[in-house]
Amino acid sequence: NILFLEIDSVSLSYSERFFPRTWGLLRKHKIVTGQEEGVSCPTGWCAGVFNKTSVVGQSSIVNQLAALSGCLDYNDPKEELHHYKNGPRTHCPAGGNHSFGTDEESGVKRDHWIFDVAKNLGYMTFFGEEFCYEDSPYVVQTQSAFTLDVDVTPDKLFCHLAKDWLKVRGKANSQTKTWAVEYDGKEVPDTCFGGKSRGGLEYIEQMWEAYDEPKFAFLNAIAAHDYSLDAAHASLGAENYDRTVYRFLSKIVARNDARDTYIVLRSDHGLQGGPHPIDYATQIEHMHPWTAIIAPANHQSLSIGPFSSNQHKLATGFDIYHSLRYLMSPSLVKVIGKQKSLLFDSGIPRWSYNLFQQIIPPNRSCQDAKIPKIFCPCTDERSDMAPSFYVGHSEQSNRKLPLPPLSYDWRTMRFAATKLPGLLVPKRTQSKYDVNFNRNILPPRCNATLGSYIDEGMLQESWRLIHNITSLYPGSDVSGGV
């Protein structure tokens, strides 16, 4: 069984701040490394948090396309790709063997869209969104070459609720789209309808009860994605949803059949747009989405060593797709060489890794992983250390004239006058008194990320130093002291 919960617009840091109960569950089942016993999972569950996961684009569509189909929204001449022209641009890996064939109506192969793969392998499938997504321009199921065909979906329920909401408020004939209906107010985020969660978690729970077949369920929750809320209250929906997710996951891992269930908990990107679009921290967190996987420790498809190691490697949605395809597809075993190969491996991206079996190399680059440079978290691959994008890249949107190209070299820290990090300044001549002038600093090694300069060890050392200093000055540790 595969349970894929996507909580939209939650970065790794945001999840730590506003999902404490869910994080408590992850820590309870965390992978332990000992000197004698090596890597182990004492509780019988292995919870991995992949703290260097990166986005592969700005929007939900691009990142969901990677995780749910292994496909790109652009053509890469270096790769062998199928270009599907029915609908928005979709370019999918053409390699591999043992294809599921091609859909006669659309002409799209059944080897990419993970819901097609699941159905062909005999899975009971579920797809859920927490709003009426019909005609929405912001979801992958309407903005790609694929057609969504699943066994269970609450979509019609949410469309009915949205139309009823518009009717009750006299807006049935207005220009308001059903996908744009907001049920809550600025100060009261409402994640429920009539005392029930407005998500599909209860449907998934009933599905687990009702069917003995292997199950593949995907739910995209938008509790933390509500840009209509006032900035001061935007996190309340996430905190409320944390209780719901924690209760649900606690029930799932306690089930008798749970030992054959993998749980993926992720976001497609961190917060973007909404009430604080230009904020530097928001832009940094946008590139570091929350990704965690809970796997049964003794499952035959899991190698704990690589799984644990990959928590600290550069990963993307393409790797999640590859990993899920590995879990779902039966294997062929070459008796002589005793080598396993997937029976249906057509459509798996060449540039991806299986998080459960393969070790991502420590020198993996953004170029290798198909991460555009403007979203790359690796410090030695960026020319501009300060992200300067918005929804649609605000610097270009807010200026009539195009911006000058970035023209400083991070490797030697010689900043040109046209662009300081995050700041546009008039062109001028550099002076030897400039603080940015001629600082020869070696860049961190690749895989050091913008979000990883301060780790737990550094924080503890800093706290020790501060404590030692303040202890010399009585009263300095109170408000206003230092």
Side-chain angles (χ1 to χ4, degrees):
N1 299 320
I2 295 173
L3 176 56
F4 194 147
L5 301 182
E6 186 167 276
I7 306 177
D8 206 352
S9 292
V10 175
S11 68
L12 178 64
S13 299
Y14 193 88
S15 70
E16 290 186 276
R17 293 195 295 270
F18 302 117
F19 286 80
R21 294 170 181 81
T22 306
W23 262 93
L25 183 71
L26 295 174
R27 291 191 180 99
K28 176 182 177 181
H29 300 297
K30 71 177 182 180
I31 303 170
V32 177
T33 303
Q35 294 181 350
E36 297 181 0
E37 64 275 14
V39 181
S40 63
C41 302
T43 65
W45 289 96
C46 299
V49 178
F50 294 80
N51 55 30
K52 289 187 178 177
T53 304
S54 174
V55 297
V56 295
Q58 184 163 329
S59 69
S60 295
I61 294 172
V62 177
N63 290 290
Q64 288 181 346
L65 193 66
L68 297 177
S69 71
C71 300
L72 301 163
D73 69 333
Y74 62 91
N75 186 35
D76 187 339
K78 297 179 181 178
E79 304 292 344
E80 184 183 356
L81 302 173
H82 285 296
H83 178 201
Y84 296 117
K85 299 180 180 179
N86 55 318
R89 292 177 298 175
T90 309
H91 301 262
C92 301
N97 303 301
H98 313 293
S99 171
F100 286 113
T102 302
D103 183 88
E104 295 181 359
E105 291 185 10
S106 65
V108 175
K109 296 187 72 174
R110 300 187 183 97
D111 303 320
H112 309 297
W113 191 227
I114 203 161
F115 302 99
D116 292 341
V117 174
K119 293 204 77 170
N120 277 281
L121 288 170
Y123 275 78
M124 191 74 181
T125 54
F126 173 94
F127 180 93
E129 295 266 17
E130 292 188 333
F131 68 103
C132 175
Y133 62 77
E134 63 179 11
D135 301 324
S136 170
Y138 302 114
V139 294
V140 69
Q141 59 271 27
T142 65
Q143 300 299 312
S144 68
F146 305 114
T147 301
L148 183 64
D149 179 19
V150 293
D151 298 306
V152 182
T153 176
D155 176 51
K156 292 188 181 300
L157 169 63
F158 284 105
C159 290
H160 175 77
L161 289 168
K163 291 172 183 176
D164 184 65
W165 186 91
L166 291 171
K167 182 179 179 181
V168 168
R169 286 158 181 78
K171 298 182 179 181
N173 297 320
S174 69
Q175 297 299 315
T176 305
K177 303 292 185 181
T178 51
W179 54 262
V181 169
E182 294 287 355
Y183 298 98
D184 44 19
K186 288 186 175 182
E187 298 183 4
V188 186
D190 188 1
T191 59
C192 298
F193 290 129
K196 292 185 178 181
S197 170
R198 68 168 165 172
L201 295 179
E202 65 177 291
Y203 293 95
I204 294 175
E205 195 171 341
Q206 292 171 18
M207 181 178 171
W208 250 247
E209 289 285 353
Y211 298 100
D212 294 327
E213 298 97 325
K215 293 165 281 291
F216 182 92
F218 173 86
L219 173 66
N220 185 35
I222 58 172
H225 192 283
D226 200 338
Y227 297 154
S228 68
L229 293 175
D230 181 89
H233 301 90
S235 62
L236 297 180
E239 291 177 335
N240 195 4
Y241 200 68
D242 174 42
R243 298 183 180 91
T244 303
V245 173
Y246 170 74
R247 286 194 295 262
F248 172 76
L249 292 179
S250 297
K251 289 181 181 179
I252 290 292
V253 299
R255 290 179 58 89
N256 293 330
D257 59 353
R259 295 301 176 181
D260 196 32
T261 296
Y262 281 75
I263 302 169
V264 178
L265 188 63
R266 81 181 285 256
S267 180
D268 46 6
H269 55 73
L271 182 65
Q272 65 173 6
H276 23 244
I278 313 295
D279 182 76
Y280 178 81
T282 298
Q283 296 185 52
I284 287 287
E285 290 191 16
H286 170 272
M287 298 186 294
H288 294 274
W290 183 22
T291 301
I293 299 177
I294 305 175
N298 297 323
H299 200 276
Q300 61 181 357
S301 298
L302 178 69
S303 292
I304 299 179
F307 182 63
S308 176
S309 173
N310 290 332
Q311 293 181 95
H312 313 295
K313 305 292 180 58
L314 183 64
T316 69
F318 294 114
D319 303 314
I320 292 176
Y321 177 78
H322 186 155
S323 305
L324 297 183
R325 287 289 304 271
Y326 167 75
L327 293 179
M328 296 164 67
S329 297
S331 299
L332 286 174
V333 179
K334 296 179 181 179
V335 179
I336 299 177
K338 294 184 178 179
Q339 295 178 339
K340 283 188 174 183
S341 61
L342 288 185
L343 181 57
F344 298 102
D345 61 353
S346 181
I348 295 178
R350 177 199 60 79
W351 56 89
S352 63
Y353 288 88
N354 177 358
L355 299 174
F356 303 119
Q357 293 288 332
Q358 299 174 308
I359 296 178
I360 297 175
N363 61 345
R364 187 187 198 186
S365 67
C366 289
Q367 185 176 6
D368 295 337
K370 302 289 188 236
I371 302 172
K373 185 174 290 187
I374 59 171
F375 301 112
C376 178
C378 292
T379 53
D380 61 346
E381 291 188 70
R382 295 179 65 88
S383 60
D384 179 9
M385 292 311 300
S388 54
F389 58 85
Y390 172 48
V391 179
H393 301 281
S394 68
E395 290 191 353
Q396 283 87 339
S397 300
N398 294 339
R399 289 169 57 91
K400 295 182 179 180
L401 298 176
L403 289 173
L406 303 179
S407 53
Y408 65 83
D409 184 2
W410 158 249
R411 288 163 179 77
T412 58
M413 294 293 283
R414 290 188 175 93
F415 294 91
T418 56
K419 182 81 165 64
L420 293 174
L423 178 66
L424 290 171
V425 295
K427 194 167 186 176
R428 58 183 175 79
T429 304
Q430 280 190 326
S431 163
K432 66 179 181 179
Y433 299 107
D434 288 346
V435 295
N436 300 317
F437 182 75
N438 233 15
R439 288 190 291 161
N440 291 313
I441 299 176
L442 291 175
R445 299 175 67 89
C446 186
N447 234 19
T449 63
L450 296 178
S452 64
Y453 283 120
I454 300 179
D455 59 22
E456 190 69 23
M458 292 174 64
L459 284 173
Q460 293 176 357
E461 180 64 19
S462 300
W463 177 252
R464 185 191 63 80
L465 180 63
I466 292 170
H467 180 73
N468 288 346
I469 293 174
T470 55
S471 66
L472 301 176
Y473 303 94
S476 64
D477 57 340
V478 298
S479 177
V482 174

